[in-house]
């Protein structure tokens, strides 16, 4: 059996770097600690007010739509009951005529 020797550079461990040389491949990140952006906060406030406006307008509209739907359902149910009563009265009248 022939033993193969593994070189230290083949294992991914760089010279004295315990992280396998991975840190050397990362790009440098910009320092953003002390940067203030006034446009970011204005944009945030704009989006926040836009959402508030949309919800203030949408909630009453959805409520009105729901109430209108309930009214239409109730009216349709009443009309169906009237039609059913008329159908029964017509059938009874036909039975009386046949006798």
């Amino acid at each position: 059996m022939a033993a193969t020797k593994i070189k230290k550079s083949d294992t991914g461990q760089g010279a004295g770097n315990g992280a396998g040389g991975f840190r050397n491949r990362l790009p440098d990140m910009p320092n953003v600690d002390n940067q203030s952006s006034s446009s970011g906060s204005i944009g945030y406030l704009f989006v926040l007010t836009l959402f508030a406006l949309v919800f203030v307008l949408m909630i009453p509209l959805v409520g009105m739509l729901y109430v209108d739907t309930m009214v239409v359902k109730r009216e349709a149910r009443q009309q169906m009951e009237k039609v059913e009563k008329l159908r029964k009265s017509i059938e009874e009248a036909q039975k009386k005529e046949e006798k």
Side-chain angles (χ1 to χ4, degrees):
M1 285 193 202
T4 59
K5 292 185 178 180
I6 300 174
K7 297 179 184 178
K8 194 165 191 168
S9 64
D10 291 342
T11 62
Q13 295 178 351
N17 190 357
F22 184 70
R23 291 181 185 233
N24 294 336
R25 292 183 224 144
L26 290 176
D28 291 333
M29 299 299 289
N31 188 7
V32 293
D33 292 340
N34 295 328
Q35 293 180 358
S36 64
S37 86
S38 61
S39 64
S41 62
I42 290 174
Y44 177 74
L45 289 175
F46 176 72
V47 169
L48 189 66
T49 54
L50 187 66
F51 275 130
L53 183 65
V54 166
F55 284 121
V56 164
L57 292 176
M58 289 301 289
I59 289 174
L61 288 175
V62 170
M64 286 187 283
L65 223 112
Y66 179 73
V67 168
D68 190 42
T69 303
M70 290 294 130
V71 167
V72 169
K73 280 184 180 180
R74 184 179 44 189
E75 289 176 359
R77 188 177 303 125
Q78 289 173 350
Q79 290 295 324
M80 289 296 291
E81 289 173 359
K82 285 181 183 178
V83 168
E84 189 66 27
K85 285 180 183 178
L86 286 173
R87 188 182 62 82
K88 284 182 182 180
S89 67
I90 291 172
E91 286 178 356
E92 289 175 1
Q94 288 178 349
K95 285 182 183 178
K96 286 181 182 178
E97 287 178 6
E98 289 176 1
K99 289 183 181 181

